[in-house]
Amino acid sequence: MLGADPTVFPVAFAALYAAHEVGDHWLQTHGQACGKGATGWAGRLLCAKHVATLTAVKLAALTLVATVLGLPLNPYAVAVALGIDAVSHYWADRRVTLLALADWLGRTVLPGKGEFARLGDGAAAPTGTGAYALDQSWHIGWLAVAALLASLGVAS
């Protein structure tokens, strides 16, 4: 059984959530935001640059709170946690993948999910669209997984 310190999870989640908000909204460039879903290598590269910056901010946030609060973090657990979070973020931010998931869920177990993803005018108000709501909820869900993983491998 992996050791875990129950104080690490909520602090890690709070740090990851704050870093996500800053990295996903303040530090993402306009070019990355507009182009990361484009087909081909240009879109992939823009998305990868966004996710690399975002992951660095999350690592800095975890390092800061661990240092200031004296939290026992296992660097290997943090690496796995941030790696999984980065992959999940990249996957969703390529856009077509998350839309395909919403469409599939809409046809199978959650009727209307694909239609919800298409609500709103992305050019006029990207943060008020169904796609944005699904994107952010996807990211936050994976932040919880990452925080849980980051809390493993330490003894209380």
Side-chain angles (χ1 to χ4, degrees):
M1 169 102 184
L2 291 172
D5 183 332
T7 62
V8 173
F9 173 76
V11 173
F13 181 78
L16 289 171
Y17 186 84
H20 169 83
E21 288 295 302
V22 171
D24 212 27
H25 297 103
W26 280 96
L27 299 179
Q28 180 172 206
T29 68
H30 181 70
Q32 290 167 350
C34 293
K36 65 188 176 185
T39 59
W41 285 104
R44 291 182 192 109
L45 183 58
L46 286 168
C47 193
K49 287 180 179 180
H50 163 57
V51 171
T53 300
L54 184 61
T55 302
V57 171
K58 290 175 182 176
L59 176 60
L62 282 176
T63 302
L64 177 65
V65 297
T67 301
V68 171
L69 300 177
L71 288 179
L73 287 180
N74 179 317
Y76 299 110
V78 169
V80 168
L82 291 177
I84 289 171
D85 178 67
V87 168
S88 75
H89 198 101
Y90 178 90
W91 182 88
D93 274 14
R94 292 294 293 142
R95 295 196 177 122
V96 68
T97 49
L98 200 59
L99 183 58
L101 176 62
D103 285 337
W104 177 79
L105 289 171
R107 289 189 309 273
T108 57
V109 295
L110 296 171
K113 196 54 60 187
E115 288 81 9
F116 176 76
R118 290 173 178 81
L119 285 177
D121 180 355
T127 59
T129 63
Y132 177 79
L134 293 176
D135 172 80
Q136 289 302 300
S137 62
W138 175 269
H139 296 327
I140 303 310
W142 281 102
L143 289 179
V145 171
L148 183 61
L149 291 171
S151 68
L152 297 177
V154 295
S156 54

